[in-house]
Amino acid sequence: MKKLVATLATSVIIAGTIATTTSAEEIEVQKGDSLWDIANEHNTTIEELVDINELKSTVIQPKQTISTTDNNDNETYVVEKGDTLNGISNEFDVTVDNLKEWNDLSSDIIGIGQELSIDGANVEQEEAPEATDEKETTEATTTQNSNESNQSESAESSEPKAENTAAESDSNEQENDSGQKADGETISVSATAYTANCDGCSGLTSTGIDLNANPDKKVIAVDPSVIPLGSEVYVEGYGHAVAGDVGGAINGNKIDVHVSSDEEASDWGVRTVDVTIVE
């Protein structure tokens, strides 16, 4: 049986008096606070705080009120190695589309340690047919995947190679500007977006890149223990970039992509993407 984690509101005083608790579910941001600190103290994640508060970016300001729970006390499932959305949906008798809708997922990619909301108790589900034979179910799934793969290859061959259209397969999303696929180690990460154009931001990365002077520079903030600083990378949906910055909230399989405006950061939101370390 998969392990479920209940999302509960807690009231914790951060670093003495850094954060002022306004209720059991909300805190008032104090100078020096970050989403990372708040997430750690309240046993939640940055992604959940961004989602619950509908934040446009991971930057927070003093006196801003942050909710630490969505008041639904919904159960969540922590993704483990080898998990897929299809497997999780089967385990909890829900659909993949439901999981993607409840967790604002734009693709089927999920990462180890990611928490997925399981809202099946509050949503009417069509009764799934009972699997009578495990081998029969496995064979049907294999046949379906094979058919989908053949359809994807057929769509690719019928489209011009120079264009990147919706009919192309997911693998083509990792092609660079010259049409060549990015080669290297690929990992799945949770990605947010940030801009250097903000109050109190110097625009200078930890490796010395001036983002205010180069607003269109493709730079990502990383955890150096996962992606070494200075690495050239290819980020799904973002393109080729350099790992040129770090952040207090960027730990483990998480990145922050630099964009030139708050509007772009808002449009990016929080998503799970593949990152290929090219060099």
Side-chain angles (χ1 to χ4, degrees), residues 2 77-92 94-97 99-100 105 107-112 114 116 118 141 145:
K2 302 291 186 180
Y77 172 68
V78 179
V79 177
E80 301 174 353
K81 183 176 181 180
D83 279 345
T84 64
L85 282 184
N86 187 56
I88 295 172
S89 67
N90 288 338
E91 179 68 25
F92 296 106
V94 298
T95 68
V96 171
D97 287 339
L99 288 176
K100 293 172 71 173
L105 299 178
S107 71
D108 292 345
I109 300 173
I110 54 177
I112 298 174
Q114 182 177 354
L116 298 178
I118 307 296
T141 302
N145 291 339

Side-chain angles (χ1 to χ4, degrees), residues 121-271:
N122 301 322
V123 178
E124 292 185 3
Q125 300 294 325
E126 293 184 3
E127 185 175 354
E130 183 177 353
T132 57
D133 186 271
E134 182 177 352
K135 179 179 178 181
E136 184 177 290
T137 302
T138 302
E139 290 176 349
T141 302
T142 302
T143 301
Q144 179 182 357
N145 291 339
S146 176
N147 291 337
E148 290 176 351
S149 176
N150 291 336
Q151 292 173 1
S152 176
E153 290 175 0
S154 176
E156 285 182 38
S157 63
S158 64
E159 294 292 335
K161 293 295 183 179
E163 297 182 2
N164 185 17
T165 67
E168 294 177 319
S169 66
D170 290 341
S171 63
N172 283 342
E173 292 178 359
Q174 291 190 216
E175 291 184 355
N176 60 23
D177 295 337
S178 63
Q180 299 297 318
K181 183 182 290 186
D183 293 324
E185 179 186 1
T186 299
I187 60 176
S188 180
V189 302
S190 175
T192 51
Y194 74 102
T195 175
N197 184 24
C198 62
D199 294 337
C201 297
S202 68
L204 198 65
T205 72
S206 61
T207 59
I209 301 172
D210 189 345
L211 296 178
N212 285 329
N214 301 277
D216 296 322
K217 182 77 172 177
K218 293 290 184 84
V219 177
I220 65 172
V222 301
D223 181 341
S225 67
V226 178
I227 302 175
L229 280 173
S231 299
E232 291 185 16
V233 299
Y234 182 88
V235 182
E236 178 186 9
Y238 181 68
H240 285 275
V242 61
D245 207 358
V246 297
I250 308 303
N251 290 276
N253 283 34
K254 297 180 180 179
I255 64 170
D256 215 2
V257 302
H258 169 255
V259 293
S260 58
S261 68
D262 290 335
E263 183 178 358
E264 287 183 73
S266 176
D267 290 341
W268 180 275
V270 180
R271 63 181 74 174

Side-chain angles (χ1 to χ4, degrees), residues 12-21 27-30 33 38 42:
V12 180
I13 299 177
I14 302 176
T17 59
I18 294 179
T20 302
T21 302
I27 64 169
E28 182 177 297
V29 177
Q30 302 297 306
D33 283 354
I38 296 172
H42 291 272

Side-chain angles (χ1 to χ4, degrees), residues 22-93:
T22 59
S23 73
E25 300 165 350
E26 296 183 344
I27 64 169
E28 182 177 297
V29 177
Q30 302 297 306
K31 185 176 181 180
D33 283 354
S34 70
L35 282 184
W36 172 252
D37 296 328
I38 296 172
N40 278 345
E41 292 294 339
H42 291 272
N43 297 320
T44 184
T45 66
I46 293 174
E47 290 85 355
E48 288 182 356
L49 292 178
V50 169
D51 182 55
I52 292 171
N53 295 277
E54 298 182 353
L55 300 178
K56 303 301 183 183
S57 71
T58 57
V59 178
I60 56 177
Q61 304 294 334
K63 296 187 178 181
Q64 180 178 352
T65 299
I66 299 293
S67 296
T68 58
T69 177
D70 59 6
N71 292 322
N72 289 330
D73 289 341
N74 293 322
E75 292 180 321
T76 58
Y77 172 68
V78 179
V79 177
E80 301 174 353
K81 183 176 181 180
D83 279 345
T84 64
L85 282 184
N86 187 56
I88 295 172
S89 67
N90 288 338
E91 179 68 25
F92 296 106
D93 294 326

